């Protein structure tokens, strides 16, 4: 079967690899350098499983910048293009998704389009009506950054949104689900076929719950730090309750990354005219945490005696084995530190050529970074900071994501 995938970020590239184990897949991207890397079997993103599969596995996968040729012969076209959150409209920017739908509809109206990009609740139904294309499905992804292919190979569940009253489209939904099952290493993956809008809600509510857990344990940690308590002792005891569980409980500078900040805001926007208090609190709690962390760091920096203290930010990435720092929580902390008058320097190996980032000096030499910073801010600890622990401010209690 011929399948096309629009977009080669974490979602698009991982699903391209998954499906190309058994089918002929063409991945489409507007960036020639990414296309060239994929065709050389080199990963353009940092993900151990993706790197391994590209270099070692026999895959029927090619990449191209020519979407029309890829879409023309495909039975399924998977849309995995970015949908960034627009702060002015309070909704995702779905223009890239719509561009693909328009192009596919023009060159191959018989193709089934599967939206993998995260969209507002109610979007799929609306775009089917506006585009006049009824062959559109929605399938949310539940992937972790840096472990995208692993989470496709061992999925917690497969969810496909369709028109349950349309037998043909429902059959296509089940067929696409079977393609995902076929590529997975995990057997007997729970699979749910439901309405479009319910499937969209699953994604946003799932990510907002994860953000809620992060915010909850961060506020617990804020209380413990303010009151001089051992946050780890408290969290360890709480999480022994099987109803709570020992996961998503390591304090941080706030939830960040590509998904949680935008998905929580989008869900809150979808609550217009629906009574709520909790959803709004999750979003505002993240801002409160960054304010608190920035205050504590600045207090520690001022204790050095300098009227303009130098704060070093160790790494911008949110997670281990990641090269992405979009919407990282420490950026919010940096903004607040600069507003308070601190000089900020950044150590981030991913920034290979930049000398400045976010208006801050980028220091390439770790030894110089550790020497020049009076306080070192680390959302997550690494062994290379062990020799300067007296300088380090972190809330990482478990040395894990």
């Amino acid at each position: 079967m011929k399948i096309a995938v629009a977009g080669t970020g974490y979602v698009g590239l991982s699903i391209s690899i998954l499906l190309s184990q058994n089918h002929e897949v063409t991945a489409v991207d507007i960036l020639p350098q990414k296309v060239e890397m994929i065709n050389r079997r080199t990963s353009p993103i940092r993900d151990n499983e993706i790197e391994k599969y590209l270099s070692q596995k026999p895959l029927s996968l090619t990449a191209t910048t020519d979407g029309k040729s890829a879409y023309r012969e495909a039975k399924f076209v998977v849309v995995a293009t970015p949908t960034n959150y627009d702060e002015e409209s309070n909704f995702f920017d779905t223009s890239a998704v719509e561009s693909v739908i328009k192009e596919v509809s023009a060159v191959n109206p018989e193709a089934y389009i599967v939206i993998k990009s995260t969209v507002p609740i109610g979007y799929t139904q609306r775009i089917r009506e506006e585009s006049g294309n009824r062959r559109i499905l929605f399938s949310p992804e539940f992937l972790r950054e840096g472990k995208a292919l692993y989470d496709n190979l061992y999925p917690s569940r497969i969810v496909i949104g369709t028109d349950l009253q349309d037998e043909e489209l429902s059959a296509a939904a089940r067929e696409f689900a079977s393609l995902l099952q076929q590529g997975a290493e995990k057997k007997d993956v729970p699979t749910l076929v439901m309405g479009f809008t319910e499937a969209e809600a699953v994604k946003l509510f799932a990510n907002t719950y994860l953000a809620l857990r992060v915010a909850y344990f961060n506020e617990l940690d804020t209380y413990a730090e303010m009151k001089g308590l051992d946050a780890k002792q408290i969290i360890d005891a709480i999480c022994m309750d099987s109803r709570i569980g020992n996961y998503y409980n390591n304090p941080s500078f706030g939830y960040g990354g590509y998904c949680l900040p935008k998905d929580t805001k989008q869900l809150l926007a979808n609550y217009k005219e629906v009574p709520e208090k909790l959803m709004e609190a999750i979003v505002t709690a993240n801002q409160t945490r960054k304010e608190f962390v920035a205050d504590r760091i600045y207090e520690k920096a001022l204790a050095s005696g300098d009227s303009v203290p130098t704060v070093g930010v160790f790494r911008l990435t949110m997670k281990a084995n990641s090269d992405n720092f979009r919407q990282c929580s420490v950026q919010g902390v940096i903004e607040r530190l600069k507003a308070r008058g601190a000089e900020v320097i950044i150590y981030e190996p991913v920034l290979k050529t930049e000398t400045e980032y976010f208006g801050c000096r980028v220091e390439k030499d770790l030894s110089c970074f550790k020497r020049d910073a009076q306080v070192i801010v680390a959302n997550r600890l690494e062994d290379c900071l062990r020799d300067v622990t007296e300088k380090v401010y972190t809330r990482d209690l478990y040395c894990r994501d």
Side-chain angles (χ1 to χ4, degrees), residues 135-178:
R135 300 168 80 88
I136 301 177
L137 302 162
F138 176 76
S139 177
E141 51 80 16
F142 306 101
L143 310 179
R144 293 168 294 173
E145 208 168 277
K147 294 186 177 180
L149 181 54
Y150 180 90
D151 290 339
N152 264 314
L153 294 168
Y154 299 92
S156 58
R157 72 281 204 198
I158 293 170
V159 176
I160 312 289
T162 185
D163 180 350
L164 296 172
Q165 306 305 313
D166 186 325
E167 292 185 8
E168 181 187 350
L169 197 63
S170 294
R174 291 189 293 272
E175 182 178 7
F176 186 74
S178 72

Side-chain angles (χ1 to χ4, degrees), residues 186-337:
K186 180 180 177 180
K187 303 307 175 187
D188 301 319
V189 180
T191 301
L192 302 96
V193 176
M194 60 182 70
F196 304 115
T197 309
E198 286 80 2
E200 293 161 350
V202 167
K203 176 61 187 291
L204 295 186
F205 276 99
N207 273 353
T208 301
Y209 175 74
L210 295 176
L212 167 65
R213 280 192 67 103
V214 173
Y216 176 85
F217 284 103
N218 280 343
E219 290 210 350
L220 183 160
D221 182 66
T222 294
Y223 183 88
E225 190 174 3
M226 288 290 290
K227 299 294 184 179
L229 306 177
D230 187 325
K232 186 175 184 297
Q233 289 184 11
I234 300 169
I235 293 171
D236 285 345
I238 289 172
C239 292
M240 287 179 182
D241 188 325
S242 60
R243 297 169 300 176
I244 297 173
N246 187 29
Y247 67 96
Y248 258 73
N249 59 359
N250 191 19
S252 65
F253 297 159
Y255 61 78
Y258 185 63
C259 291
L260 298 193
K262 71 186 185 83
D263 289 3
T264 52
K265 290 177 181 177
Q266 179 60 72
L267 183 59
L268 178 58
N270 273 112
Y271 260 85
K272 185 179 180 181
E273 300 178 358
V274 177
E276 64 79 28
K277 286 293 183 184
L278 184 57
M279 304 305 166
E280 185 176 359
I282 294 167
V283 174
T284 57
N286 210 40
Q287 304 307 314
T288 301
R289 176 64 170 179
K290 292 174 188 176
E291 289 285 350
F292 170 76
V293 166
D295 283 342
R296 300 295 281 187
I297 293 167
Y298 193 65
E299 289 169 9
K300 183 177 175 69
L302 283 178
S304 66
D306 285 9
S307 58
V308 182
T310 300
V311 176
V313 173
F314 177 79
R315 305 302 309 269
L316 299 170
T317 51
M318 292 290 298
K319 300 182 179 184
N321 300 316
S322 173
D323 58 359
N324 174 43
F325 36 83
R326 292 173 296 187
Q327 298 294 315
C328 65
S329 58
V330 77
Q331 285 187 1
V333 175
I334 291 171
E335 286 180 318
R336 290 162 172 82
L337 286 170

